[in-house]
Amino acid sequence: TQLLEQSPQFLSIQEGENLTVYCNSSSVFSSLQWYRQEPGEGPVLLVTVVTGGEVKKLKRLTFQFGDARKDSSLHITAAQTGDTGLYLCAPRDDKIIFGKGTRLHILP
Amino acid sequence: DTGVSQDPRHKITKRGQNVTFRCDPISEHNRLYWYRQTLGQGPEFLTYFQNEAQLEKSRLLSNRFSAERPKGSFSTLEIQRTEQGDSAMYLCASSLASLAGGYNEQFFGPGTRLTVL
């Protein structure tokens, strides 16, 4: 089982601030995915990163895959209250093995 | 709404009772997955189906857990003799697997929250 460590576990910041959350492992992955799960809902796929060093942007969210394909980061610029949720990373697979996630709370 | 639906959304039961949850996948999705999510954790894969065939069940948590998808459409997850440790969110997801293979995005339902007293 490939173990993914996500950090921080919890993050609470003011609206308008920037933040970065991390997904790390000692294993190499062919690809990694990021999901957001809002309270009372299932996870929703945000992005898949495939190539080492790849950067993908989704509006104010910037995802980066490490050069060695062992880690990934998610940077949010000018956070909004709608960004509140649980951010999960996982290797792309049919049997998804999620990390524990980062619980993000954006304060108005 | 044409997304994945789950019923019920909430279930409270007493220890020792049996419970059954239903999942209706996105129409024409041939794969259906079950996950469990406990407090403070990410979802944990349990089992999945391609059409009626259950392709993986070794990760079901114990022999008290079983899942079916008799007609290749909706699926049920049953927990027999529930224990307090079974309290969790049970999530269902579906995807469309093509004959060509490759990865298929999973779309998750809202989950059934189980509380065992």
Side-chain angles (χ1 to χ4, degrees):
Chain A
T1 303
Q2 297 169 322
L3 185 62
L4 281 166
E5 299 281 347
Q6 291 194 244
S7 61
Q9 271 192 288
F10 303 97
L11 185 58
S12 183
I13 64 170
Q14 292 291 138
E15 196 170 26
E17 293 185 3
N18 301 333
L19 66 106
T20 303
V21 299
Y22 301 91
C23 175
N24 296 299
S25 175
S26 56
S27 301
V28 176
F29 299 104
S30 58
S31 59
L32 272 179
Q33 297 184 312
W34 284 91
Y35 292 77
R36 178 170 64 214
Q37 184 176 19
E38 298 184 16
E41 300 296 330
V44 174
L45 178 64
L46 296 175
V47 78
T48 303
V49 286
V50 177
T51 307
E54 181 178 9
V55 176
K56 281 192 174 178
K57 292 194 173 184
L58 188 66
K59 297 184 181 178
R60 296 173 294 100
L61 277 60
T62 302
F63 303 85
Q64 183 159 9
F65 201 11
D67 291 339
R69 292 185 287 121
K70 292 183 178 182
D71 54 83
S72 182
S73 63
L74 159 58
H75 181 80
I76 301 179
T77 304
Q80 298 178 357
T81 55
D83 297 327
T84 290
L86 178 67
Y87 288 80
L88 297 157
C89 68
R92 185 171 64 180
D93 196 356
D94 284 333
K95 295 168 273 188
I96 305 173
I97 300 175
F98 290 95
K100 288 187 179 181
T102 292
R103 193 163 297 279
L104 177 63
H105 185 56
I106 309 301
L107 303 167
Chain B
D1 189 343
T2 56
V4 177
S5 62
Q6 294 188 244
D7 183 68
R9 294 292 306 273
H10 303 272
K11 177 72 176 178
I12 300 174
T13 192
K14 292 184 179 179
R15 189 175 53 187
Q17 297 294 304
N18 299 342
V19 294
T20 300
F21 310 137
R22 176 178 171 128
C23 171
D24 286 89
I26 293 172
S27 179
E28 296 179 358
H29 274 192
N30 51 8
R31 286 198 175 172
L32 187 148
Y33 308 78
W34 285 99
Y35 293 81
R36 182 182 79 157
Q37 186 173 23
T38 54
L39 205 60
Q41 304 290 324
E44 175 186 11
F45 171 81
L46 296 179
T47 187
Y48 82 115
F49 295 84
Q50 175 144 333
N51 301 314
E52 311 85 17
Q54 192 170 11
L55 298 187
E56 168 78 61
K57 56 182 179 180
S58 65
R59 299 195 195 173
L60 284 169
L61 300 161
S62 79
N63 58 12
R64 297 184 297 105
F65 288 70
S66 62
E68 292 184 342
R69 195 183 184 199
K71 298 181 180 178
S73 56
F74 73 92
S75 175
T76 56
L77 177 69
E78 182 182 16
I79 309 174
Q80 295 183 329
R81 304 181 302 281
T82 53
E83 301 172 356
Q84 288 184 321
D86 297 332
S87 295
M89 174 78 85
Y90 291 84
L91 291 161
C92 174
S94 70
S95 71
L96 179 61
S98 68
L99 291 174
Y103 175 75
N104 318 287
E105 180 181 350
Q106 294 182 30
F107 294 84
F108 285 82
T112 294
R113 182 166 295 284
L114 173 66
T115 301
V116 182
L117 302 175

